[in-house]
Structure formats: structure tokens, C-alpha cells
Amino acid sequence: GYKAWLGGGDAGTAARLTAERYRSWLKRIAVTGAATGYGPLETAVQELVNGLEALLGWQPSIVAETEQAGGCVLVGTAGSSSVIDEVLADGVRAEGYRIRTRSGDKDQPCIIVAGGDERGALYGVFHLLRLLRTGADLASLNIMENPACRLRMINHWDNMDGSIERGYAGRSIFFRDGEVLADSKRITDYARLMASVGINGIAINNVNVHELETLLITERYLPQVARIADVFRAYGITLYLSINYSSPMQLGGLPTADPLDESVRAWWRSKMTDIYHHIPDFGGVVVKADSENRPGPFTYGRDHADGANMLAEALEPFGGLVLWRCFVYNCHQDWRDRSTDRARAAYDHFKPLDGRFKDNVILQIKNGPMDFQVREPVSPLIGAMERTNQMVEFQITQEYTGQQRDVCYLVPQWKGVLDFDTRCSGEGSTVKRIAAGEVHPYRYSGITAVTSIGDDSNWTGHHLAAANLYGYGRLIWNPELSAEEIASEWLMMTFGVSEEDPAGAVITRILHESWHTYEHYTAPLGVGWMVTPHYHYGVDVDGYEYSKWGTYHFADRDGIGVDRTQATGTGYTAQYRPEVGQRYEQLESCPDELLLFFHHVPYTHVLKSGKTVIQHIYDTHFAGVEQVEKWIGDWRQLEGQVDAERHAQISERLQMQLDNARQWRDVINTYFYRKSGIPDEHGRLIY
Ligand code: BDP
């Protein structure tokens, strides 16, 4: 519920037993560290006090470091004491930490949480609490962690009227009726959840910046935004805002927003000065320009580099960043013109600009070339620009993956992206290494994601959707964690049980099967879309087929799929490094799951699995529905073993998922049966 994975006194037995076992070590907390006054170290101590109190049932006392002679938890930051520095040794970087059990005087060991800086100390404390809550042995800890990526961000698509674009869990926790909410309790609790998984930057408003949100950077609203920044700061989170590219016209009354116009540049410089006056550690701006009817530099015959650099110049004196989105494509295209291919757009727009961006600009690139479909190849733009900072954008909110009515655990999908070898700088040029700035010497890089939370009491609508929120943070902190490890931590922290427990086993199985299940009953073999236009939940095979959005499947009586080959298609495969592009180009080597993304094939084409495309479509759609039916049966068995409220809510959503899955199955199968005229081998279809 509301406490998500940071549940308090309702910790599982394992957590309570562990806490009890180390009671004598956990009763005192010593702190060392020159607090900078911005808070994460103070927050770390407070979290530790509260966390231990919840587990042990009494409050630990805070003692001065000099008094400590074992039997305590010592928290500190680099340079604050010799003990801490000794523990940190080499190897702990900014925002990293080390946790070590040290035998102290009088056989009284102590646990040292040493942070590379204040944020590091806070993350270290959350890690220690996680160990306690998951029942780990504390007797000989020696853990060193550094975040893989420098920028570990969240994007909100919240509007100031309180609505959330693509939000499926209630209304905004920041805004209501055109104002920032006065009560910041919920924002504090949210910051805490995010810090506990290592998030260090949050953009609070929608990338589609409408009239009202344009005003966020005015004197009228900046004091309100500053209040949110204050809450975030205590948790080591930097606040970012999405801005409207044409603000100089809308707010400044200028006749143009041309990035090369001196009056426009001066306007932005002065605007940034105002923002930093209110929020001295403002992170910078997120910009969606010349995309889906948003204003941008194209209007003035300028390009993205001109546009981004103008903002970068204004932010530079303050150390601010421009997060410039690459989700740029023609959304007014003519479906009859097959020479355009939306998948090509980001690369075509941005690749030629490599080297032209200032070094406080970071290009924000969606993980796939289309738009957060259940299955897409990795965007060929990732890693393709050696001299331009980049970050990857994922989507936690389940816009195209069931909208938090259907279960879809996305960590395996994200992991697949992060592990993908782009070959952009030889073998091993994986997306995770690019995001970590290890492949090209980026000054800034990292990962961001559109979040899934709202003011629903459990934050994410579906209880199981919280696994994605937790998993996103954990995975981008450490992309080496497996989807299974992450799910198992989340399970223990949230439900207080392990996978061995009957309830834990069912939840784990559902999570792990869920992405494939969702893929099975929706659009097949990487073709994507086939969703209800605009809403993006529920099936509509031809919903987007004859529209201007560029999202086609080209199904006819003979076959289906988009020919994106160099030989006969749109040439998209040439955007990849040859080793990668060739794999997709050739039918023989193209992986089944992406076949229809890259090729137009007859229904009778035989997949690597040995099945024809049409039979695969039929079979997976039946299998997807059966899977959901099975989950419902398994979940029913758990009545009485999971608290009644969560049990009932999950049951209800599984039922909705079943309805959705059945509808997809019936529509897709019937559609392709009618198109192809090929019957199901097992005779399950009625015309
Ligand atoms: C699409 C969403 C749309 C967003 C857009 C974006 O449908 O609401 O505005 O992405 O990322 O997925 O800008």
C-alpha cells in the first residue's frame, strides 16, 4: 500500500528476527560528517532512527562519534573522520558508499555506513535498512556500491490541473487546480521512496508544456516550485522542469523564439537567473521541441543544436543542464507514402548534429525507435553520437503495456535494452556502458523514465505495478542485478515473504511471466501498435493503420510486417552498426520476436520456432489468455494468506486483465483468420 517497499512495523518475521539478533549493535547511532546544510546526511540519520524504531519497537539513541566504542551504527561522509575514510579507502565515488561491519573495542562490533558524500550516506542507510528488512546476516558486512549512472532520473507527465498524461494511478501529487499543492506530506513520502532506490533527479511536469505549465517559470509560481525543491533536496533529489520552447513569446512578449535572436537569448539568460534565485540547485530543463506539434527551432529554420545550445548557454553559469528529447518525428505523415519510416526519425534528425551540442546538453533518447511498445529493437541512436552526451528514456507508466490494470513486470524488458550490444565502439558497447559514460567520454549521461505514480493510496494503481517503480531505480543503480533478484527484494520488502512462501511463489511467477504474457495476447512478433487510438489500452487492429502517425503493420491478404531492410525496405537497418544491422536485415538471422518489425512476410513464413507466422499468432493469443486464467486460479488459492485488501484489489485487476486479454485474442485471431483465410491447425477459430 502507501508505504510501498518501505513498510514500517509490518515487516516480515525474517526482518524482525534479524533486527532482534543485532539489537545490541543497533541501539546507538553515531554520526560524523560536515553536513552541508542541504540535508541528505540529516535525512539519512532520521531514516535510520525511524527504520530501526519500526523494526525494533524502540528508538535508538544518537551518540557523538567520539563516544562510540562499538555497539553502534556509525554513519558518515568522506573526510569527516579517520574511521570513515579508512572504510571508504579508494573506490567509493560521489554518491557511492561502503557498509562494513567492524569489530570494535570490547568485542562490540559496529556497522559503519560510509558515504562518498551526503547522498552516498543516505543511499547507504537505505541499503542497510533493506538488508534488515530482507533478513540478511549483518555479522560480516563488506559492501561497496557506486551508482552505474550519474543521472538517475524520473520524468513526470503531470499537468497543473492535477491530471497526468498517461497516468493510471490517480491525480498528480504535485499540482491541483493550477497550483502546487500546499501540503507537501505526500511529496516528502514520494521523495523518500525515490531516494531509497537511488533516484537523484526528478522533472515534475509534463513534457507537453501547456499554457498553464508555461507559467511555472514565472515569479507567480517559482516560490511554489521552490517548496518542492526544498523537499527533494533533503533526499538528495535535484528538481528539473519541462519548459515550453516558445516561452519568450508567451511570457516575454517577444515576437519570436528564434534561438539565434539576441533578444531571445537574453530573455532566457535572465529567466535562468530568476529560476536560480528561487532554486539555487535547480537541475535544468527538459525539452520536447518540434515534436507532436510542440514549438521548436524548426519554425525559424534552425536545428536542434541551435535550440538546445541557446538554453545551455543560459544555464551554463549555474551548472544547469538541458535534457533535450529526441522523440522527434513527423506525426502528419501520409500513410500511402511508404518511403517515410517513423522508426528512422530520431537518428535521421540527430546523428548529423553530433559534435554541435554544448557539453551541458544531454540528448534524451527513448529506448526504442517508435514509442514504448511491448517489444521494440533498441534505438540505433543510442551510442551513435560519440561527441554528444546521451541518456536513455524508459517508460515505467504502462501506457502501452496494460495501463496498470494488466500486470506487466518491465524489468526484464529494460534489462534486455541495457544489455544490448550496439557495437558502436566495438564489441561490448552495451547500452548500460553507454549510459554509464564508459563507451564514449560523455560529461553527463544516465537514464530517465516516465513514472507511473499518482495520488492513489498505493501510488501505482495496481499493487504489483510498484515492482516496476522499485525495479527501475534498482536496475539503473546497478544494471548487473537480475530481474529475479530485484523482484525478490521487492517481494520481501513489500509483502514480507520470500519466493519460498506460497504467496511469494505465486507473485514471483506472475511477475516473471507477465511481460511475455502481455506480449502474447497483444500485437505479435514486434509489429506493435494495433491499440485503441489515443487511449492505447485495448485492441484496435487498424486503429492507427490509415492515420498520420506512422505506425503501420501493412497486413493484407498475403502477409504482414514492415519492411525496414536496406535491400527492399525503408533502409532503417542501416542505422545500426553493420554487425547489428545485418542480423536484422537477413530473414534468417532476424530474431523471431522482432520479425515483423523488420520484415514483411507471408503468413506462411516459417519462424525459427518451426511454426508459421499465422499459427504463431493463433497459438500465442490462446496461450496468453490461458496464462491469465491460470494466474487467477493461483491467486484465488491465496485468499487468507495475503491481506484481504491487497488480495481483493489484485483479484479485481486480474479479472480486468482477463477481459482485456480475451478481447485481444478474439479480435486479433479473427482479424488474421479473415485476412489470411488460413484456418487454425487446432480448429479453435470460428469465422
Ligand atoms: C507518447 C505518449 C504521449 C507523449 C509522447 C512523448 O502517447 O502522451 O506526449 O509519447 O513522449 O508515448 O512525448
Side-chain angles (χ1 to χ4, degrees):
Y2 186 77
K3 289 177 188 158
W5 53 87
L6 293 180
D10 51 353
T13 338
R16 278 195 300 275
L17 288 177
T18 315
E20 200 45 57
R21 204 155 104 229
Y22 298 101
R23 183 178 261 271
S24 67
W25 306 6
L26 300 173
K27 61 185 179 217
R28 296 192 303 167
I29 298 172
V31 193
T32 144
T36 56
Y38 81 88
L41 184 61
E42 283 89 341
T43 309
V45 175
Q46 203 49 53
E47 284 297 331
L48 193 54
V49 169
N50 296 345
L52 292 178
E53 189 179 358
L55 283 169
L56 296 163
W58 41 259
Q59 232 197 24
S61 56
I62 311 253
V63 296
E65 193 215 346
T66 44
E67 286 174 32
Q68 70 88 10
C72 75
V73 184
L74 170 64
V75 185
T77 51
S80 66
S81 90
S82 54
V83 182
I84 294 288
D85 285 350
E86 195 192 307
V87 168
L88 283 172
D90 303 331
V92 175
R93 297 191 301 268
E95 306 192 7
Y97 56 85
R98 189 160 195 166
I99 307 178
R100 197 156 188 180
T101 311
R102 206 191 59 162
S103 44
D105 303 346
K106 301 177 213 139
D107 288 332
Q108 283 265 63
C110 79
I111 299 172
I112 302 173
V113 182
D117 52 18
E118 288 198 57
R119 278 178 173 157
L122 178 61
Y123 301 145
V125 161
F126 277 121
H127 191 144
L128 178 62
L129 290 171
R130 189 164 67 235
L131 292 172
L132 275 159
R133 293 187 59 82
T134 51
D137 186 352
L138 308 185
S140 50
L141 296 173
N142 188 5
I143 296 167
M144 187 174 84
E145 295 255 344
N146 283 306
C149 302
R150 172 152 178 196
L151 298 170
R152 301 180 303 280
M153 288 193 55
I154 288 284
N155 282 41
H156 281 259
W157 285 356
D158 293 24
N159 300 316
M160 288 185 71
D161 63 2
S163 64
I164 302 176
E165 182 156 329
R166 314 304 178 188
Y168 311 107
R171 294 192 297 164
S172 172
I173 62 159
F174 300 121
F175 308 113
R176 190 67 31 85
D177 304 329
E179 306 288 333
V180 170
L181 282 166
D183 180 1
S184 49
K185 164 88 174 75
R186 181 117 199 189
I187 303 175
T188 309
D189 292 337
Y190 173 58
R192 178 167 175 254
L193 283 173
M194 292 298 92
S196 78
V197 290
I199 297 299
N200 65 2
I202 298 183
I204 59 171
N205 64 307
N206 192 355
V207 288
N208 295 316
V209 185
H210 308 291
E211 213 166 306
L212 201 52
E213 293 79 32
T214 303
L215 299 174
L216 278 171
I217 54 172
T218 61
E219 287 301 316
R220 159 90 168 74
Y221 287 101
L222 280 170
Q224 300 188 22
V225 176
R227 281 204 326 260
I228 303 181
D230 292 343
V231 173
F232 282 1
R233 190 174 301 116
Y235 284 92
I237 295 169
T238 304
L239 181 139
Y240 294 75
L241 286 173
S242 299
I243 54 111
N244 180 340
Y245 192 81
S246 62
S247 298
M249 297 165 77
Q250 305 204 7
L251 301 177
L254 299 183
T256 175
D258 180 352
L260 300 191
D261 182 293
E262 189 38 47
S263 62
V264 173
R265 301 174 85 92
W267 188 87
W268 277 115
R269 282 197 297 270
S270 124
K271 182 47 72 188
M272 293 309 170
T273 312
D274 296 346
I275 298 178
Y276 280 89
H277 173 73
H278 290 277
I279 309 167
D281 56 351
F282 179 61
V285 296
V286 180
V287 193
K288 173 174 179 177
D290 288 316
S291 162
E292 299 186 330
N293 309 315
R294 304 312 301 155
F298 286 177
T299 312
Y300 312 98
R302 316 297 184 197
D303 61 27
H304 290 282
D306 297 327
N309 288 343
M310 169 197 61
L311 293 164
E313 178 193 273
L315 281 158
E316 201 167 30
F318 309 99
L321 308 179
V322 178
L323 309 178
W324 190 270
R325 296 180 83 232
C326 297
F327 184 60
V328 177
Y329 68 99
N330 177 8
C331 65
H332 297 282
Q333 66 187 52
D334 184 338
W335 67 269
R336 289 160 301 194
D337 175 6
R338 295 190 174 203
S339 67
T340 54
D341 176 3
R342 173 166 160 180
R344 295 184 54 126
Y347 186 100
D348 284 344
H349 278 291
F350 286 92
K351 169 73 179 168
L353 302 178
D354 193 15
R356 292 232 357 254
F357 291 91
K358 287 179 77 76
D359 71 357
N360 57 333
V361 175
I362 299 110
L363 296 184
Q364 184 170 316
I365 309 168
K366 286 190 180 180
N367 61 271
M370 295 298 276
D371 191 10
F372 301 137
Q373 299 303 289
V374 69
R375 175 79 69 170
E376 281 187 52
V378 168
S379 166
L381 188 59
I382 299 176
M385 298 174 77
E386 287 164 36
R387 290 171 297 155
T388 309
N389 301 317
Q390 295 191 333
M391 70 195 296
V392 179
E393 179 180 324
F394 288 125
Q395 195 181 43
I396 310 171
T397 192
Q398 292 173 235
E399 175 179 1
Y400 291 99
T401 50
Q403 304 199 348
Q404 284 137 251
R405 276 177 261 180
D406 300 25
V407 192
C408 190
Y409 179 53
L410 290 164
V411 175
Q413 188 204 55
W414 301 330
K415 231 187 128 55
V417 172
L418 294 175
D419 287 343
F420 180 78
D421 191 352
T422 67
R423 300 288 188 106
C424 67
S425 185
E427 208 169 321
S429 306
T430 51
V431 173
K432 62 189 169 198
R433 293 192 55 236
I434 294 165
E438 288 169 9
V439 174
H440 306 310
Y442 293 151
R443 179 161 175 221
Y444 298 99
S445 58
I447 303 179
T448 189
V450 187
T451 196
S452 55
I453 69 117
D455 70 355
D456 272 7
S457 62
N458 67 358
W459 301 94
T460 51
H462 201 309
H463 284 288
L464 300 185
N468 285 331
L469 189 60
Y470 178 83
Y472 166 72
R474 295 289 293 130
L475 184 66
I476 69 165
W477 174 276
N478 178 9
E480 303 309 323
L481 289 172
S482 70
E484 291 75 23
E485 282 169 306
I486 292 174
S488 133
E489 278 179 16
W490 174 79
L491 178 70
M492 184 61 117
M493 307 262 294
T494 306
F495 286 90
V497 295
S498 77
E499 303 93 311
E500 269 100 65
D501 181 276
V506 171
I507 296 172
T508 306
R509 201 168 53 247
I510 294 178
L511 287 179
H512 292 313
E513 290 169 353
S514 61
W515 176 39
H516 288 293
T517 299
Y518 194 81
E519 183 177 29
H520 277 163
Y521 61 76
T522 57
L525 299 165
V527 76
W529 307 97
M530 302 189 176
V531 287
T532 316
H534 183 65
Y535 299 103
H536 303 166
Y537 184 83
V539 58
D540 186 344
V541 186
D542 286 334
Y544 277 117
E545 194 58 17
Y546 306 102
S547 74
K548 58 197 168 124
W549 295 92
T551 53
Y552 313 125
H553 55 66
F554 298 118
D556 58 21
R557 64 180 182 178
D558 302 316
I560 176 178
V562 192
D563 184 354
R564 294 193 159 103
T565 63
Q566 265 175 283
T568 51
T570 69
Y572 167 81
T573 56
Q575 294 185 339
Y576 292 95
R577 287 296 161 130
E579 309 87 299
V580 177
Q582 276 309 308
R583 191 165 79 233
Y584 295 138
E585 175 84 10
Q586 308 301 330
L587 256 182
E588 305 71 49
S589 50
C590 184
D592 280 354
E593 70 270 14
L594 285 169
L595 185 75
L596 303 181
F597 189 92
F598 287 103
H599 296 274
H600 184 87
V601 296
Y603 294 111
T604 49
H605 172 83
V606 179
L607 296 167
K608 296 193 176 52
S609 66
K611 283 185 186 175
T612 59
V613 165
I614 192 73
Q615 196 56 43
H616 173 94
I617 294 176
Y618 298 150
D619 287 351
T620 49
H621 285 77
F622 282 110
V625 172
E626 281 156 24
Q627 193 71 266
V628 181
E629 283 166 346
K630 179 158 187 320
W631 296 345
I632 291 177
D634 293 348
W635 188 254
R636 206 173 288 131
Q637 307 281 314
L638 298 183
E639 210 170 337
Q641 294 186 53
V642 172
D643 57 285
E645 202 184 323
R646 279 192 287 195
H647 190 271
Q649 205 243 33
I650 293 173
S651 295
E652 199 182 305
R653 300 236 167 176
L654 285 173
Q655 200 54 50
M656 288 185 203
Q657 176 160 10
L658 182 61
D659 294 344
N660 186 37
R662 282 183 175 149
Q663 199 194 4
W664 271 93
R665 175 197 63 192
D666 294 344
V667 173
I668 294 277
N669 282 347
T670 308
Y671 178 98
F672 286 105
Y673 181 29
R674 288 184 186 175
K675 275 260 148 128
S676 68
I678 304 173
D680 169 34
E681 281 171 8
H682 308 293
R684 290 164 293 190
L685 290 173
I686 310 154
Y687 184 77

